[in-house]
Amino acid sequence: MLLTVDEFNKIANFVTNKYGIKLPIGKKVMVESRLSERVEKLKFEGFTPYVEYIFSRKGKFELSELIEHISTNETWFFREPEHFKYITTYLRKKDITKKIRVWSSACSSGEEAYSIAMTLEELKETEVPGLDYKIWCTDISNEILQKASMGIYSKGHLENLKKRHIDKYLDLKNSDKPRITYDLRSKLIFKQFNLIDEKEYQSIVHKFDIIFCRNVLIYFNRDHQEKVITHLASKLKIGGLFMIGHTETSIFKKIESLKMIRPALYERVK
Ligand SMILES: C[S@@+](CC[C@H](N)C(=O)[O-])C[C@H]1O[C@@H](n2cnc3c(N)ncnc32)[C@H](O)[C@@H]1O
């Protein structure tokens, strides 16, 4: 089953305009393979009627399925561990009297946010007993947010966790499906949020102490990358931390309000 170049371009333009994700022609095979499942499930005879359907009034809901299939959700616990270590260094230096707010802004299936929560819990147990926190977890995909909020992972998926993390923060009663404990899950708030939609930022009234925006900027074009970084930086407190993925450092154009502390790690200075 193949998409014509016109059909592919129609899908690619929609995905880039609405979600910021670049889809150059080299991704055509990937898009065909990911969408063929939908074409079969909805019993269309090929891509042509499917593409007509998604861009018709009746196909509005299928457009949101489209992004579920096209975005890349790969993630794992304690990915790029330097960031989690630095949170500890950073919070040790601070006099914490209020709840801290963290935003995992392309959280995928939740491993990043739960790794932050485990880091903060350990700090609370050992050095900063007054530490209280909430983690805002957002993503474009509703399906992946549901998975994240369930906090259920396969055993194989836990391999980047230390034994002490598994012992403390996973409920193994149903050992086929280890689940993040209720206490940890209750620290996370889930919400759909499109990073390239400027209007959505207006609804955020508070400022964050730490924002993670890792391994998502790489899918955006330069214009969107700069806008997203600028918007997110404006939602950080002065002195707050901003993290991007280590493979994304070359796309980071100088944003005046952010000072680099080390690669992929920035502080809001004004
Ligand atoms: C590769 S995952 C990164 C997960 C995690 N941050 C990490 O570093 O492991 C990229 C995530 O970005 C999300 N995403 C893509 N475009 C987005 C957008 N416009 N707004 C918000 N999230 C988006 C995808 O749905 C996906 O879950």
Side-chain angles (χ1 to χ4, degrees):
M1 214 185 316
L2 297 178
L3 281 162
T4 65
V5 171
D6 280 354
E7 286 160 358
F8 172 78
N9 285 341
K10 212 166 169 191
I11 291 175
N13 287 340
F14 169 77
V15 170
T16 308
N17 292 336
K18 178 125 174 93
Y19 304 108
I21 301 172
K22 291 176 293 186
L23 283 179
I25 192 75
K27 300 268 179 186
K28 185 167 170 285
V29 175
M30 180 277 276
V31 171
E32 282 164 353
S33 115
R34 293 190 182 179
L35 291 186
S36 57
E37 192 193 303
R38 292 302 298 164
V39 174
E40 274 158 32
K41 191 158 184 202
L42 297 176
K43 302 196 175 10
F44 282 106
E45 286 179 4
F47 276 122
T48 302
Y50 176 73
V51 174
E52 267 169 28
Y53 172 70
I54 55 178
F55 291 109
S56 71
R57 283 237 313 256
K58 276 196 278 178
K60 217 167 75 191
F61 292 108
E62 184 59 18
L63 276 179
S64 53
E65 274 297 328
L66 190 75
I67 191 64
E68 307 287 349
H69 284 75
I70 285 176
S71 63
T72 299
N73 304 121
E74 192 190 19
T75 183
W76 54 91
F77 287 106
F78 289 95
R79 179 179 196 176
E80 305 181 43
E82 304 77 23
H83 283 152
F84 303 96
K85 287 190 193 126
Y86 194 80
I87 292 184
T88 305
T89 313
Y90 169 75
L91 291 178
R92 264 185 198 140
K93 286 192 289 193
K94 289 209 144 199
D95 184 18
I96 299 155
T97 49
K98 283 198 194 130
K99 185 183 278 185
I100 68 156
R101 286 198 176 93
V102 186
W103 184 3
S104 169
S105 73
C107 70
S108 187
S109 38
E111 290 85 333
E112 178 177 276
Y114 289 122
S115 305
I116 301 168
M118 290 178 198
T119 305
L120 295 178
E121 283 297 323
E122 291 203 318
L123 197 61
K124 185 169 146 187
E125 280 165 30
T126 52
E127 294 174 49
V128 192
L131 182 62
D132 191 10
Y133 65 93
K134 272 281 176 213
I135 304 174
W136 236 54
C137 308
T138 64
D139 199 280
I140 195 65
S141 160
N142 253 329
E143 215 169 287
I144 207 79
L145 283 170
Q146 267 171 32
K147 186 167 188 285
S149 67
M150 291 295 288
I152 296 174
Y153 299 97
S154 68
K155 276 189 179 161
H157 215 79
L158 306 183
E159 63 188 13
N160 286 326
L161 290 177
K162 303 246 167 30
K163 184 176 178 309
R164 65 170 203 278
H165 292 136
I166 299 180
D167 291 346
K168 274 195 268 180
Y169 307 120
L170 275 124
D171 187 344
L172 300 171
K173 270 194 267 95
N174 183 352
S175 58
D176 279 350
K177 289 184 179 165
R179 186 172 195 188
I180 301 287
T181 57
Y182 173 78
D183 283 353
L184 214 62
R185 282 185 281 124
S186 68
K187 296 290 190 185
L188 276 53
I189 300 166
F190 296 92
K191 190 179 177 320
Q192 192 181 34
F193 189 98
N194 183 355
L195 286 167
I196 72 146
D197 187 342
E198 308 205 348
K199 289 192 297 297
E200 298 207 15
Y201 292 91
Q202 290 165 14
S203 64
I204 305 171
V205 285
H206 48 252
K207 300 244 159 141
F208 292 87
D209 297 272
I210 303 172
I211 298 181
F212 278 68
C213 181
R214 306 189 313 165
N215 304 303
V216 62
L217 293 167
I218 202 156
Y219 299 109
F220 299 161
N221 64 30
R222 188 160 281 278
D223 183 42
H224 282 136
Q225 286 165 351
E226 280 177 29
K227 284 190 179 142
V228 169
I229 296 171
T230 306
H231 279 303
L232 289 175
S234 75
K235 296 297 169 191
L236 261 182
K237 290 181 187 163
I238 304 285
L241 286 185
F242 185 67
M243 330 272 198
I244 62 173
H246 284 79
T247 58
E248 296 170 315
T249 50
S250 63
I251 62 180
F252 197 92
K253 210 171 153 239
K254 207 165 164 16
I255 307 262
E256 274 194 9
S257 59
L258 295 174
K259 182 181 123 209
M260 188 174 92
I261 301 177
R262 51 184 73 170
L265 187 74
Y266 305 83
E267 179 183 334
R268 179 165 181 193
V269 285
K270 58 178 167 177

